[in-house]
Amino acid sequence: MTSREFFDKMQTIDRRWIFLLISLAVIIPLLFEFSFTELATPEVSAIYNRIEGLQQEVGRRPRTLISFDFDPPSEPELMPMAISLIRHLVIRNHQIYMMALWPIGQQEADDVVRQYLEPEFPQYTYGEDYMTFGFQPGGAGLINVIVNDFRKFFSVDSRNNPIDSLPMMADVVNLFDMDLILDLSAGAPGIKEWVQFGGDRTGVPVAGCVTAVQAPLMYPYYPRQMFGMLGGMKAAAEYESLVLEAYGAESDDPRISADARFLGIRRMGPQTFAHLVIILFIIIGNIAFFATRGQRGASRLTVDS
Amino acid sequence: MKKQVPLFITFLFGTVMILATFIPHYPFKLADTEMSMFFDILAAFAILLGGGNLMRIHVTKVAKHKKGWAYSLITVVGFLTMLIVGLFKLPLGPTSGVGLENSQLYMYKLYQFVLRPLQSTMFALLAFYVASASYRAFRAKNREATMLLLAAFFILLGRTLIGTAITAYLPGIVEIFFAIVLGWVAWDQSKSKNWVIVGLMGAIGLFLLGRTIYGYGVVLTGGEMEFITIPKLVNWIMIYPQMAGQRAIMIGICLGVISMSLRIILGVERSYLGSDTE
């Protein structure tokens, strides 16, 4: 095989080899549980610090609204964020109000409650410490209405309890009564609608927890209209690292202190190796491209002469 | 009359909604809330239209045994199953509560064991295609492609701890590399006398070079080396050049939306009525 043939082959590697290497890059780190502790970026720290200091800021038990605007395809990125945010909010004794602008979002909220909130924090009571409004269609229109009145759209919660029967709704009329809005968003309706129709109109601070694909589109809102942002798996792992660092060591509950429970940190192993495989193929492709381009140029010169 | 009534309704409601945004007090505030609810009620009826249309197309395809009719059959069966199970909230056995958090409903089981794995599988396949497409697409064929390639390369690297590890030993290496590439672009453009691009690229290149020199100054005086590592550069790319581009696109889109909205509200644009001519 001549060098020309070799580099030509390098430029057109069968994509099944790429698929195989990506599979291995994901499976091996998952099997051996490679994980790293992440250093938090300012966007991530902003959310963590806000949740930490909110009680002091508002002078009473803080009320936080979390909107689950995603579905299973975005779950690997957004679910680790949802879990660690819920853990952090509970540890900081926030009242948590959950809702969804996406139909499947309600199921995602229920999964977090069933699999993490209820077993890890049995002292947290439904209706007093947390509640789920459920899904309602409307997107921006829905936010527009709850800016003035939650009860216009939600007469009952997702469990069919009348809203007024829940103690934590006694002093809540509209979105102005919230102290913090966190949106787990995978598209539209999502964080853009929360910023434009929720945060901007009420002045309630909004933070977005978005997929890595969506993150670049949201930077224009940061930091004035959106005080913090978790973008993709890396940010999820960074947030988990912050929670783990602050509360993991001193917690008696092995479910909180064990690294294995933190999905983002565990999933950063496969992501790191998959990125490296992609980088490797980009480098190989470019070396082969330049090598064959040089040879093509040389052969053209020979023909011309 | 057939056109005047819809045009009047559009003008009235459009104007009231604009006023309600700028005057958030009674009666505009009330109009804003009520009209948003009207919108949601009207939008809910669209599901009848959408569902009906979906059934009409696929049932016809199945009935006439057109190409791919088996997929249409799956669509029809899936649609009807979810519709019946969801509307009647069919339980697996004796159960209390009709909320969708109830795991004893068929709806919940279908979500958990059919919809979720199917959607996740479809999305997971993207990882393989993205890897294959990156290998084929990111080639330094020209200046623009080179810039895109470098940005993608550093962001990919910056999203892992490997990036941090590399630049912990060679801080500023990426900035210098970028500065050289930008300098090369500026030099090339100077031959074509494109002075705006020369100035822009040259300024960014000099800024990156200056940033690195300043960074080394910080490091040598005992400061944090983290200042000039890949994660910081990635953050810089995202917060400044990337955000500037996004803002430009967003402002353009918003101006387009404002002008189109005004055309519709004032009755200049009438294509939504079914025809653009009177």
Side-chain angles (χ1 to χ4, degrees):
Chain A
M1 188 188 281
T2 63
S3 64
R4 172 73 187 273
E5 284 170 339
F6 173 77
F7 285 123
D8 274 341
K9 215 174 173 87
M10 284 292 103
Q11 274 208 82
T12 52
I13 296 172
D14 191 332
R15 64 178 181 175
R16 283 172 294 186
W17 286 110
I18 302 173
F19 293 171
L20 178 70
L21 282 173
I22 286 286
S23 309
L24 293 174
V26 172
I27 293 167
I28 293 171
L30 272 180
L31 285 178
F32 293 96
E33 296 199 351
F34 292 138
S35 61
F36 317 94
T37 305
E38 298 285 336
L39 295 168
T41 49
E43 298 95 301
V44 175
S45 306
I47 300 179
Y48 179 85
N49 294 334
R50 196 70 179 248
I51 291 176
E52 280 287 297
L54 200 58
Q55 185 146 9
Q56 208 170 4
E57 197 180 312
V58 298
R60 57 168 164 74
R61 196 175 177 197
R63 299 187 193 112
T64 299
L65 179 81
I66 304 192
S67 189
F68 287 73
D69 306 330
F70 65 98
D71 55 5
S74 311
E75 209 181 275
E77 282 182 290
L78 299 183
M79 193 52 103
M81 297 178 192
I83 297 163
S84 45
L85 283 169
I86 291 282
R87 279 176 176 153
H88 193 198
L89 291 170
V90 174
I91 291 167
R92 299 303 302 169
N93 199 30
H94 287 224
Q95 283 186 309
I96 306 168
Y97 300 78
M98 292 179 241
M99 61 177 286
L101 299 180
W102 286 32
I104 304 285
Q106 176 52 39
Q107 310 272 13
E108 302 289 352
D110 286 336
D111 282 352
V112 175
V113 170
R114 201 190 321 257
Q115 292 174 27
Y116 298 93
L117 203 159
E118 283 175 353
E120 290 185 12
F121 306 99
Q123 76 281 10
Y124 242 57
T125 315
Y126 186 84
E128 287 178 19
D129 303 308
Y130 72 97
M131 57 93 57
T132 49
F133 283 111
F135 161 74
Q136 282 286 351
L142 165 68
I143 301 170
N144 217 15
V145 174
I146 63 172
V147 162
N148 295 324
D149 195 350
F150 272 110
R151 285 164 182 80
K152 288 264 183 195
F153 255 110
F154 299 100
S155 53
V156 292
D157 67 357
S158 70
R159 301 181 180 191
N160 263 354
N161 304 308
I163 285 289
D164 291 322
S165 70
L166 304 175
M168 65 190 287
M169 283 301 290
D171 298 326
V172 174
V173 175
N174 53 34
L175 209 55
F176 286 91
D177 295 317
M178 293 293 150
D179 301 310
L180 183 66
I181 298 169
L182 300 170
D183 184 35
L184 296 147
S185 165
I191 182 64
K192 209 175 233 182
E193 283 74 15
W194 278 110
V195 168
Q196 291 173 350
F197 295 91
D200 284 1
R201 291 187 64 187
T202 58
V204 178
V206 178
C209 310
V210 299
T211 56
V213 172
Q214 213 190 349
L217 306 173
M218 291 300 122
Y219 268 97
Y221 296 111
Y222 173 78
R224 290 185 64 182
Q225 291 163 285
M226 199 173 67
F227 71 90
M229 181 165 70
L230 302 184
M233 187 82 75
K234 189 170 187 295
E238 287 172 16
Y239 200 88
E240 287 177 353
S241 296
L242 287 173
V243 175
L244 198 61
E245 196 184 335
Y247 300 103
E250 54 192 68
S251 173
D252 298 330
D253 189 342
R255 286 173 303 201
I256 303 171
S257 55
D259 287 24
R261 298 285 292 171
F262 285 81
L263 297 173
I265 294 173
R266 284 181 66 204
R267 288 174 184 168
M268 269 310 282
Q271 177 161 308
T272 300
F273 283 93
H275 277 202
L276 289 178
V277 168
I278 295 173
I279 289 169
L280 184 73
F281 274 108
I282 291 175
I283 293 170
I284 290 173
N286 277 284
I287 291 172
F289 172 72
F290 279 108
T292 51
R293 196 171 70 163
Q295 285 173 355
R296 275 194 208 105
S299 60
R300 262 204 306 275
L301 284 175
T302 317
V303 172
D304 291 346
S305 62
Chain B
M1 202 61 180
K2 213 168 141 189
K3 300 246 174 185
Q4 269 78 6
V5 174
L7 283 174
F8 175 73
I9 293 172
T10 309
F11 175 77
L12 179 73
F13 281 73
T15 313
V16 170
M17 289 301 275
I18 290 175
L19 287 174
T21 305
F22 292 103
I23 314 169
H25 303 287
Y26 186 84
F28 294 106
K29 188 178 171 183
L30 181 69
D32 186 20
T33 310
E34 295 300 326
M35 283 180 193
S36 294
M37 288 188 70
F38 277 17
F39 168 77
D40 287 327
I41 294 164
L42 288 174
F45 282 97
I47 190 71
L48 294 177
L49 197 66
N53 211 24
L54 181 91
M55 288 304 285
R56 190 176 60 81
I57 291 168
H58 288 282
V59 168
T60 312
K61 219 170 167 183
V62 174
K64 293 184 177 173
H65 273 60
K66 285 185 180 173
K67 194 182 171 193
W69 65 271
Y71 298 116
S72 294
L73 184 66
I74 294 169
T75 308
V76 172
V77 172
F79 180 76
L80 290 177
T81 309
M82 286 304 274
L83 189 70
I84 293 164
V85 164
L87 273 181
F88 298 104
K89 296 198 169 69
L90 298 179
L92 284 160
T95 176
S96 60
V98 289
L100 290 178
E101 84 293 341
N102 187 345
S103 60
Q104 290 306 307
L105 291 177
Y106 273 109
M107 178 80 173
Y108 177 82
K109 298 291 177 195
L110 281 173
Y111 161 74
Q112 201 70 12
F113 301 113
V114 180
L115 186 72
R116 173 183 262 185
L118 284 175
Q119 284 197 338
S120 304
T121 307
M122 284 299 293
F123 209 69
L125 288 175
L126 271 182
F128 297 98
Y129 291 111
V130 165
S132 174
S134 307
Y135 160 67
R136 278 166 227 288
F138 287 134
R139 299 272 160 90
K141 288 176 181 165
N142 51 43
R143 266 194 313 274
E144 290 79 7
T146 310
M147 296 294 284
L148 186 69
L149 166 71
L150 287 173
F153 182 85
F154 291 122
I155 286 173
L156 273 171
L157 204 59
R159 293 287 180 218
T160 65
L161 272 183
I162 307 290
T164 318
I166 292 170
T167 45
Y169 296 105
L170 285 168
I173 187 78
V174 183
E175 276 91 341
I176 293 171
F177 191 73
F178 253 123
I180 292 169
V181 172
L182 292 171
W184 164 59
V185 174
W187 174 255
D188 202 52
Q189 288 295 313
S190 71
K191 290 175 193 163
S192 321
K193 298 185 177 172
N194 289 333
W195 299 116
V196 177
I197 299 177
V198 172
L200 194 67
M201 296 293 143
I204 299 173
L206 284 174
F207 167 74
L208 287 172
L209 210 60
R211 189 173 183 267
T212 309
I213 293 166
Y214 172 71
Y216 268 97
V218 172
V219 172
L220 290 173
T221 50
E224 281 290 316
M225 201 178 272
E226 196 194 330
F227 180 74
I228 38 180
T229 56
I230 278 196
K232 291 281 171 190
L233 179 73
V234 167
N235 236 30
W236 180 83
I237 292 174
M238 296 300 274
I239 289 179
Y240 295 102
Q242 190 278 135
M243 185 156 80
Q246 289 291 351
R247 277 210 172 126
I249 294 168
M250 280 173 76
I251 290 168
I253 292 172
C254 287
L255 290 174
V257 168
I258 290 169
S259 89
M260 182 52 91
S261 303
L262 282 175
R263 282 172 65 86
I264 291 173
I265 290 169
L266 298 173
V268 179
E269 174 65 49
R270 300 177 180 195
S271 56
Y272 69 97
L273 294 172
S275 167
D276 56 356
T277 55
E278 186 64 42

